[in-house]
Amino acid sequence: MSGAEATPATLYGLKNCDTCRKARKWLDRFGVAHAFVDYRDEKPSPDTLVEWAGTLGGFEAMVNKSSTTWRELPAHRKAPGSEAEWKLLLREYPQLVRRPVVVTADGRVTQGFSDNGFKQRFGIAG
């Protein structure tokens, strides 16, 4: 059994996001079992956001600060002073989370997509 078959994945992102579509096509092409969750439709729980932040290097690291949504936020919203404020911000604006967030059955959480990164992540040779 290859690593891809042994490690089903869940991708969290937005269905209209080009990067998420590329990641899903990549997983299909390499036969990696996965589910997709649009986090606008199914917002991650506050506990899930905290877990992701802990794994990904904090809330700051999770946010795409080059996004239009981030740039259009009022200045006071761009500097959450507490975990509670970050959770509120990311539940209100889930599109701020860099995507996709990939969670595998072993509990590992990563963010983003690249061909080489996914090959390494899912144990695909080549």
Side-chain angles (χ1 to χ4, degrees):
M1 181 182 275
S2 77
E5 292 165 339
T7 311
T10 302
L11 265 71
Y12 294 86
L14 303 175
K15 59 184 162 245
N16 61 348
C17 167
D18 286 339
T19 304
C20 292
R21 283 196 289 259
K22 287 176 189 173
R24 293 171 73 189
K25 284 180 184 175
W26 188 99
L27 293 171
D28 287 340
R29 186 171 73 241
F30 286 98
V32 177
H34 67 281
F36 179 75
V37 176
D38 185 313
Y39 49 59
R40 272 194 180 140
D41 297 335
E42 297 177 45
K43 294 182 179 174
S45 72
D47 289 342
T48 297
L49 291 171
V50 170
E51 180 183 326
W52 290 354
T55 303
L56 298 170
F59 286 105
E60 289 270 347
M62 287 175 53
V63 173
N64 176 4
K65 292 186 176 180
S66 63
S67 72
T68 302
T69 303
W70 179 263
R71 290 191 311 264
E72 292 177 353
L73 283 176
H76 73 279
R77 294 298 304 270
K78 293 181 183 178
S82 68
E83 184 177 281
E85 288 178 23
W86 273 111
K87 290 188 291 188
L88 182 64
L89 180 68
L90 295 180
R91 284 189 49 85
E92 185 175 349
Y93 299 101
Q95 64 271 30
L96 288 174
V97 177
R98 282 191 319 116
R99 37 194 192 268
V101 174
V102 182
V103 181
T104 45
D106 60 5
R108 191 165 162 226
V109 180
T110 57
Q111 212 171 10
F113 167 75
S114 72
D115 181 63
N116 287 336
F118 265 41
K119 281 180 179 173
Q120 184 177 15
R121 174 85 162 85
F122 293 102
I124 305 292

